[in-house]
Amino acid sequence: MLTDPLRIPADVWSDRVVCELLSRRDIGGLFCRLIRLTGASQTRIGAAVGLEQGYVSRVLGGRKITSIEVLERIAKGLDMPDESRVALGLAPTRWPCHHDMARPAEQRQSDTPVDRRWRDDLRAAVRLWEGDVNRRDMIRQTAFASSSYTLPALRWFTAPSGPPVNASGRRTVGQPDIDTIREMSATYRRLDNQYGGGHVRDTVARYLHQEVTPLLTDGQYDTRTGRSLLSATAELTQLAGWQAYDLAEHGIAQRYLTLALDLARAADDAGLGAEILAAMSHQATYLGQAAIGIDLARAARQTARRVGLAVLAAEAYVMEAHAHATARDEGACATALHQAERTLDRADRSGNPQWLSYFDEAYLSAKFAHCFHALGKASPAERFASRSLNMDERYVRGKAFNLALLASVQLRRGEPERACTIAAEALTLTAQLRSSRAVRYVRDLQAQLAPHRTRPVVRQFITRVDTALGTRR
């Protein structure tokens, strides 16, 4: 019936193409995409948004819509979520329109986040896992947007406590179920470090969808058990996001990390929340979004301090330092690195959670090296990159990263042949991994060495990269 509401699946609004169309205010393209995704006719679209079919046809033909009144009617008729309204240039319906990322963090934190309940977060997570496992295009093609990290981080600090986390389903959930999820997380994390995110990324998504979803949606648990269950789920969801990030699936990684943060908030697990914020900062900086990387690192640090996790606070400092280095702010970078060293010196590691075990002296040295390398300071970069190789051999991907970093530093120091020798070790490890980040570092080295290809050693390395990696980019 034309009078019935037009039902658009929630995942449509995170579709990469839809997001791009909204940002360009391309309503004709939006209508065309909705028709393709939902099967609705022009008449059906028109009825939903209060426009004649002929007008819809002209919009599909290229007519531009600039009237805010008409855009509001379309947004309301399509029941757009606030994030989509903002992308279209309209005010959100549930929080004040102070979404500009260019404003200072202090001002942005006065915004009021959407009041989400834990069941809303749960439903969103279940939809994501299901769509990911079923390889739905609207999820798999999600694009990364730095502004999409603003609201979850703000919600982390300011959202009020929701209703108790309990349920009265048919299946009793107990500590053994939670322990199993944590054991699986530890196993998947070990495989991720040893073989790369692509080795078990799909397996983790299936485990969340097939094993964890029934516990959450059909389980019977009290508040204490419910919080533990959400915490364990958030930890595994964060790992899934990290693996997607390692595979350069940045949009879907962002969705996983965002939902992991919301689940950690519902579980009242501030330590895990700080770790997730640090991971979000890591991704943003990697993608060149230094400003959001700095904000997220500071949010992680404040949270880590609140719960007394000094090691995690030190990690947040180095994440902030790396973002400052990416922005070429040498003074702020130096300050953050100094604070990271001081904080780590005072840290008591005895009470650290298992998921924080990777942060050690080698990891810290690698981050220092990245910072100095980004700032063009080859001598300290070489010193710290060399130190970073004194590491736990189980972190194979991390060693590939650190070798590639040291090779890049040697090249900057004017030692292309020495760089090739070190890069050859990185290539050997990278060829065994399923990690787009590792491949990117080696390919970047290959490109940087190209001006020196008249040297036999360099030419041999460039050829070896193509042989080992083939078409991998």
Side-chain angles (χ1 to χ4, degrees), residues 69 109 191 238 305 444:
E69 180 181 352
Q109 288 188 2
L191 293 172
Q238 187 264 350
R305 281 179 166 176
D444 284 351

Side-chain angles (χ1 to χ4, degrees), residues 187-310:
T187 299
Y188 290 141
R189 186 175 293 106
R190 177 178 58 80
L191 293 172
D192 173 67
N193 287 319
Q194 190 169 358
Y195 300 107
H199 186 71
V200 289
R201 171 166 142 39
D202 290 343
T203 303
V204 173
R206 282 195 300 273
Y207 183 80
L208 284 165
H209 173 52
Q210 296 172 359
E211 303 296 333
V212 179
T213 293
L215 296 176
L216 292 163
T217 60
D218 197 29
Q220 180 184 123
Y221 41 85
D222 58 19
T223 298
R224 180 178 179 180
T225 302
R227 284 182 172 174
S228 295
L229 177 60
L230 285 187
S231 175
T233 303
E235 181 184 343
L236 188 54
T237 302
Q238 187 264 350
L239 177 60
W242 188 257
Q243 291 171 333
Y245 165 30
D246 193 42
L247 289 176
E249 298 173 348
H250 292 294
I252 195 167
Q254 183 175 42
R255 292 194 63 185
Y256 267 102
L257 293 175
T258 297
L259 283 168
L261 184 66
D262 285 333
L263 292 172
R265 178 177 57 82
D268 198 25
D269 190 338
L272 181 58
E275 170 71 1
I276 296 167
L277 286 164
M280 293 159 69
S281 172
H282 196 297
Q283 183 193 24
T285 300
Y286 178 84
L287 294 175
Q289 304 291 330
I292 189 68
I294 292 167
D295 281 351
L296 290 167
R298 288 172 174 170
R301 185 179 75 241
Q302 291 175 21
T303 304
R305 281 179 166 176
R306 191 174 76 219
V307 294
L309 282 173

